[in-house]
Amino acid sequence: DNRRNGLVGLWEWSKLLHTARGSSDRQDAWGVYSAEQNEDIEAAWCDGRFGVCVAVGIRNYELEFRGVDGGRQVDRALRKSRQGRRRAVTPEERDAALSCPASQNDLVADCNADGECAICYTAFAESPS
């Protein structure tokens, strides 16, 4: 158990819409959930639940846990999903990742390689500015 080793969970979502499990170890391919979301996800995971709802802006996602280190972030309304993962890190590493300006609203601000909004999956070219 990582908690006995002093490690905590840092939950991240794949910026790539189609990512095979474990196919990308590049850190820039992963976004960080907010501190509050990370806390809620970690609590659900530690409680042994099957998943947790995460609200980001106007979108609602279900993070379905699979195995010991992640799962799928599912948008049921748009029938889309992406990889989610849990990294066991020191509390200092987690706090640094969650306080980094780049991680603030990362899910809202980032787009995937196809130029889609990470929240609604609408192509930026098709949405009003």
Side-chain angles (χ1 to χ4, degrees):
D1 185 38
N2 291 323
R3 287 174 284 176
R4 283 187 225 143
N5 295 329
L7 300 177
V8 296
L10 176 64
W11 287 90
E12 300 170 318
W13 54 273
S14 174
K15 294 179 181 181
L16 306 173
L17 193 54
H18 305 288
T19 306
R21 187 164 177 77
S23 68
S24 179
D25 291 329
R26 290 187 9 234
Q27 189 55 43
D28 65 344
W30 296 91
V32 178
Y33 289 98
S34 72
E36 182 180 338
Q37 292 164 340
N38 192 80
E39 184 178 315
D40 292 344
I41 296 167
E42 183 70 2
W45 185 81
C46 288
D47 288 345
R49 297 197 329 232
F50 294 109
V52 64
C53 286
V54 178
V56 180
I58 62 169
R59 305 265 15 122
N60 290 308
Y61 301 98
E62 176 84 19
L63 183 57
E64 299 172 345
F65 302 132
R66 296 181 180 176
V68 297
D69 62 353
R72 298 289 299 166
Q73 174 186 293
V74 179
D75 181 337
R76 298 214 187 283
L78 296 177
R79 297 183 210 174
K80 302 233 180 174
S81 67
R82 61 179 71 232
Q83 179 83 22
R85 73 176 180 182
R86 178 186 188 270
R87 288 194 306 128
V89 298
T90 65
E92 296 79 17
E93 289 173 300
R94 180 203 53 206
D95 294 346
L98 295 175
S99 66
C100 176
S103 72
Q104 299 304 313
N105 297 316
D106 203 9
L107 189 56
V108 175
D110 199 69
C111 65
N112 67 27
D114 296 328
E116 291 180 334
C117 171
I119 295 175
C120 66
Y121 300 104
T122 300
F124 288 126
E126 297 173 10
S127 65
S129 36

Coordinates of all heavy atoms in Angstrom, one line a residue, residues 21-66:
R21 N -4.0 2.1 -22.9 CA -3.6 2.0 -21.5 C -2.0 1.9 -21.4 O -1.5 1.0 -21.9 CB -4.2 0.9 -20.8 CG -4.0 0.9 -19.3 CD -5.0 -0.1 -18.6 NE -4.8 -0.2 -17.2 CZ -5.1 0.7 -16.3 NH1 -5.7 1.9 -16.7 NH2 -4.8 0.6 -15.0
G22 N -1.4 2.8 -20.7 CA 0.0 2.8 -20.5 C 0.8 3.1 -21.8 O 2.1 3.0 -21.7
S23 N 0.2 3.6 -22.8 CA 0.9 3.9 -24.0 C 1.7 5.2 -24.0 O 2.6 5.4 -24.9 CB 0.0 3.9 -25.3 OG -0.9 5.0 -25.2
S24 N 1.4 6.1 -23.1 CA 2.1 7.3 -23.1 C 2.7 7.6 -21.7 O 1.9 7.8 -20.8 CB 1.3 8.5 -23.5 OG 2.0 9.7 -23.5
D25 N 4.0 7.6 -21.5 CA 4.6 8.0 -20.3 C 5.1 9.4 -20.3 O 5.6 9.9 -19.3 CB 5.7 7.0 -19.9 CG 5.2 5.6 -19.6 OD1 4.1 5.5 -19.1 OD2 5.9 4.7 -19.9
R26 N 4.9 10.1 -21.4 CA 5.3 11.5 -21.5 C 4.4 12.3 -20.6 O 3.2 12.3 -20.7 CB 5.2 12.0 -22.9 CG 6.1 11.4 -23.9 CD 6.1 12.1 -25.3 NE 5.2 13.3 -25.3 CZ 4.2 13.5 -26.2 NH1 3.9 12.5 -27.0 NH2 3.5 14.6 -26.2
Q27 N 5.0 13.1 -19.7 CA 4.3 13.8 -18.7 C 3.4 14.9 -19.4 O 2.3 15.2 -18.9 CB 5.2 14.5 -17.7 CG 4.5 15.1 -16.5 CD 3.5 14.2 -15.8 OE1 3.8 13.0 -15.6 NE2 2.3 14.7 -15.5
D28 N 3.9 15.5 -20.5 CA 3.1 16.5 -21.2 C 1.9 16.0 -21.9 O 1.0 16.7 -22.4 CB 4.0 17.3 -22.2 CG 4.5 16.5 -23.4 OD1 4.4 15.2 -23.3 OD2 4.9 17.1 -24.3
A29 N 1.7 14.6 -21.9 CA 0.5 14.0 -22.5 C -0.6 13.9 -21.4 O -1.7 13.4 -21.7 CB 0.8 12.6 -23.0
W30 N -0.4 14.4 -20.2 CA -1.3 14.2 -19.1 C -1.6 15.6 -18.5 O -0.8 16.4 -18.2 CB -0.7 13.3 -18.0 CG -0.6 11.9 -18.6 CD1 0.6 11.4 -19.2 CD2 -1.5 10.9 -18.6 NE1 0.3 10.1 -19.5 CE2 -0.9 9.8 -19.2 CE3 -2.9 10.8 -18.2 CZ2 -1.6 8.6 -19.4 CZ3 -3.6 9.6 -18.4 CH2 -2.9 8.5 -19.0
G31 N -2.9 15.8 -18.2 CA -3.4 17.0 -17.5 C -3.7 16.6 -16.1 O -3.9 15.4 -15.7
V32 N -3.7 17.5 -15.2 CA -3.9 17.3 -13.7 C -5.3 17.8 -13.4 O -5.6 18.9 -13.7 CB -2.8 18.0 -12.9 CG1 -3.0 17.8 -11.4 CG2 -1.4 17.5 -13.3
Y33 N -6.0 17.0 -12.6 CA -7.3 17.5 -12.1 C -7.0 18.5 -11.0 O -5.9 18.6 -10.5 CB -8.0 16.3 -11.4 CG -8.6 15.3 -12.4 CD1 -7.9 14.1 -12.7 CD2 -9.8 15.5 -13.0 CE1 -8.4 13.2 -13.5 CE2 -10.3 14.6 -13.9 CZ -9.6 13.4 -14.2 OH -10.1 12.5 -15.1
S34 N -8.0 19.3 -10.7 CA -7.8 20.4 -9.7 C -7.6 19.7 -8.3 O -7.8 18.5 -8.1 CB -9.0 21.3 -9.6 OG -10.1 20.6 -9.0
A35 N -7.1 20.5 -7.4 CA -6.8 20.0 -6.0 C -8.1 19.4 -5.4 O -8.1 18.3 -4.8 CB -6.3 21.1 -5.1
E36 N -9.2 20.1 -5.6 CA -10.5 19.6 -5.0 C -11.0 18.3 -5.7 O -11.4 17.4 -5.0 CB -11.6 20.7 -5.2 CG -12.9 20.2 -4.6 CD -14.0 21.3 -4.7 OE1 -13.6 22.5 -4.9 OE2 -15.2 21.0 -4.7
Q37 N -10.8 18.3 -7.0 CA -11.2 17.1 -7.8 C -10.3 15.9 -7.4 O -10.8 14.8 -7.2 CB -11.1 17.3 -9.3 CG -12.2 18.3 -9.8 CD -11.8 18.8 -11.1 OE1 -10.7 18.8 -11.6 NE2 -12.9 19.3 -11.8
N38 N -9.0 16.2 -7.3 CA -8.0 15.2 -6.9 C -8.4 14.6 -5.5 O -8.4 13.3 -5.3 CB -6.6 15.7 -6.9 CG -5.6 14.6 -6.8 OD1 -5.2 14.0 -7.8 ND2 -5.0 14.4 -5.6
E39 N -8.8 15.4 -4.6 CA -9.1 15.0 -3.3 C -10.4 14.1 -3.3 O -10.4 13.0 -2.7 CB -9.4 16.2 -2.4 CG -9.7 15.9 -0.9 CD -9.9 17.1 -0.1 OE1 -9.1 18.1 -0.2 OE2 -10.9 17.1 0.7
D40 N -11.4 14.5 -4.1 CA -12.6 13.7 -4.2 C -12.4 12.4 -4.9 O -12.9 11.3 -4.5 CB -13.7 14.5 -5.0 CG -14.2 15.7 -4.3 OD1 -14.0 15.8 -3.1 OD2 -14.8 16.6 -5.0
I41 N -11.6 12.4 -6.0 CA -11.3 11.1 -6.7 C -10.5 10.2 -5.8 O -10.8 9.0 -5.7 CB -10.5 11.5 -8.0 CG1 -11.3 12.3 -8.9 CG2 -10.0 10.2 -8.6 CD1 -10.5 12.9 -10.1
E42 N -9.5 10.7 -5.1 CA -8.6 9.9 -4.2 C -9.5 9.3 -3.1 O -9.3 8.1 -2.8 CB -7.5 10.7 -3.7 CG -6.5 9.9 -2.8 CD -5.7 8.9 -3.6 OE1 -5.8 8.8 -4.8 OE2 -4.9 8.2 -2.9
A43 N -10.4 10.1 -2.5 CA -11.2 9.5 -1.4 C -12.1 8.4 -1.9 O -12.2 7.4 -1.3 CB -12.1 10.7 -0.9
A44 N -12.7 8.6 -3.1 CA -13.5 7.5 -3.7 C -12.7 6.3 -4.0 O -13.1 5.1 -3.7 CB -14.2 8.0 -5.0
W45 N -11.5 6.5 -4.5 CA -10.6 5.3 -4.8 C -10.2 4.6 -3.6 O -10.3 3.4 -3.5 CB -9.4 5.8 -5.6 CG -8.5 4.8 -6.1 CD1 -8.6 4.0 -7.2 CD2 -7.3 4.4 -5.4 NE1 -7.5 3.1 -7.3 CE2 -6.7 3.3 -6.2 CE3 -6.6 4.8 -4.3 CZ2 -5.5 2.7 -5.9 CZ3 -5.4 4.1 -3.9 CH2 -4.9 3.1 -4.7
C46 N -9.9 5.3 -2.5 CA -9.4 4.7 -1.2 C -10.6 4.0 -0.6 O -10.4 3.0 0.1 CB -8.9 5.8 -0.3 SG -7.3 6.4 -0.8
D47 N -11.8 4.5 -0.8 CA -13.0 3.9 -0.2 C -13.4 2.6 -1.0 O -14.4 1.9 -0.6 CB -14.2 4.8 -0.2 CG -14.1 5.9 0.8 OD1 -13.2 5.8 1.7 OD2 -14.8 6.9 0.7
G48 N -12.8 2.3 -2.1 CA -13.1 1.1 -2.9 C -14.3 1.3 -3.8 O -14.8 0.3 -4.2
R49 N -14.7 2.5 -4.0 CA -15.8 2.7 -4.9 C -15.4 2.4 -6.4 O -14.3 2.3 -6.7 CB -16.4 4.1 -4.8 CG -16.9 4.4 -3.4 CD -17.8 5.6 -3.2 NE -17.6 6.7 -4.0 CZ -17.4 8.0 -3.6 NH1 -17.4 8.2 -2.3 NH2 -17.3 9.0 -4.4
F50 N -16.4 2.2 -7.2 CA -16.2 1.8 -8.6 C -15.8 3.0 -9.5 O -15.3 2.9 -10.5 CB -17.4 1.1 -9.2 CG -17.6 -0.3 -8.6 CD1 -18.7 -0.5 -7.7 CD2 -16.7 -1.3 -8.8 CE1 -18.9 -1.7 -7.2 CE2 -16.9 -2.5 -8.2 CZ -18.0 -2.7 -7.4
G51 N -16.2 4.2 -9.0 CA -15.9 5.4 -9.7 C -16.4 6.7 -9.0 O -16.9 6.6 -7.8
V52 N -16.3 7.8 -9.6 CA -16.7 9.1 -9.0 C -17.1 10.1 -10.1 O -16.5 10.0 -11.2 CB -15.6 9.6 -8.1 CG1 -14.3 10.0 -8.9 CG2 -16.0 10.8 -7.3
C53 N -18.0 10.9 -9.8 CA -18.4 12.0 -10.7 C -17.5 13.2 -10.5 O -17.2 13.5 -9.4 CB -19.9 12.4 -10.5 SG -21.0 11.2 -11.1
V54 N -17.1 13.8 -11.6 CA -16.3 15.0 -11.6 C -17.0 16.0 -12.5 O -17.3 15.7 -13.7 CB -14.9 14.7 -12.2 CG1 -14.0 15.9 -12.2 CG2 -14.2 13.6 -11.4
A55 N -17.2 17.2 -11.9 CA -17.8 18.3 -12.7 C -16.7 19.3 -13.1 O -16.0 19.7 -12.2 CB -18.9 19.0 -11.9
V56 N -16.7 19.6 -14.4 CA -15.7 20.6 -14.9 C -16.5 21.6 -15.7 O -17.0 21.2 -16.8 CB -14.6 20.0 -15.7 CG1 -13.6 21.0 -16.2 CG2 -13.9 18.9 -14.9
G57 N -16.7 22.8 -15.2 CA -17.5 23.7 -16.0 C -18.9 23.2 -16.2 O -19.5 22.8 -15.2
I58 N -19.4 23.1 -17.4 CA -20.7 22.6 -17.7 C -20.8 21.1 -17.9 O -21.8 20.6 -18.1 CB -21.4 23.4 -18.8 CG1 -20.6 23.2 -20.1 CG2 -21.5 24.9 -18.5 CD1 -21.3 23.6 -21.4
R59 N -19.6 20.5 -18.0 CA -19.5 19.1 -18.3 C -19.5 18.2 -17.0 O -18.9 18.7 -16.0 CB -18.3 18.8 -19.1 CG -18.2 19.6 -20.4 CD -18.7 19.0 -21.7 NE -19.6 17.8 -21.7 CZ -20.8 17.8 -22.2 NH1 -21.3 18.9 -22.7 NH2 -21.5 16.7 -22.2
N60 N -20.1 17.1 -17.1 CA -20.0 16.1 -16.0 C -19.3 14.8 -16.5 O -19.7 14.3 -17.6 CB -21.4 15.8 -15.4 CG -21.9 16.9 -14.6 OD1 -21.3 17.5 -13.8 ND2 -23.1 17.3 -15.0
Y61 N -18.4 14.3 -15.8 CA -17.7 13.1 -16.2 C -17.8 12.1 -15.1 O -17.9 12.4 -13.9 CB -16.2 13.4 -16.4 CG -15.9 14.5 -17.4 CD1 -15.6 15.8 -17.0 CD2 -15.9 14.1 -18.8 CE1 -15.3 16.7 -18.0 CE2 -15.6 15.1 -19.7 CZ -15.3 16.4 -19.3 OH -15.1 17.3 -20.3
E62 N -17.7 10.8 -15.5 CA -17.6 9.7 -14.5 C -16.2 9.2 -14.7 O -15.8 8.8 -15.8 CB -18.6 8.7 -14.8 CG -18.6 7.5 -13.9 CD -19.3 7.6 -12.6 OE1 -20.1 8.5 -12.5 OE2 -19.0 6.8 -11.7
L63 N -15.4 9.2 -13.6 CA -14.1 8.5 -13.7 C -14.4 7.1 -13.1 O -14.7 6.9 -11.9 CB -13.1 9.3 -12.8 CG -11.7 8.7 -12.9 CD1 -11.2 8.6 -14.3 CD2 -10.8 9.5 -12.0
E64 N -14.3 6.1 -14.0 CA -14.5 4.7 -13.7 C -13.2 4.1 -13.4 O -12.3 4.1 -14.2 CB -15.2 4.0 -14.8 CG -16.5 4.6 -15.2 CD -17.1 3.9 -16.5 OE1 -16.3 3.3 -17.3 OE2 -18.3 4.1 -16.7
F65 N -13.0 3.6 -12.1 CA -11.7 3.0 -11.7 C -11.6 1.7 -12.4 O -12.5 0.9 -12.4 CB -11.7 2.9 -10.2 CG -11.8 4.2 -9.5 CD1 -12.7 4.4 -8.4 CD2 -11.1 5.3 -9.9 CE1 -12.8 5.6 -7.8 CE2 -11.2 6.6 -9.3 CZ -12.1 6.7 -8.2
R66 N -10.4 1.4 -12.8 CA -10.0 0.1 -13.4 C -8.6 -0.2 -12.9 O -7.6 0.5 -13.2 CB -10.0 0.2 -14.9 CG -11.4 0.5 -15.5 CD -11.3 0.5 -17.0 NE -12.7 0.8 -17.5 CZ -12.9 0.9 -18.8 NH1 -12.0 0.8 -19.7 NH2 -14.1 1.2 -19.2

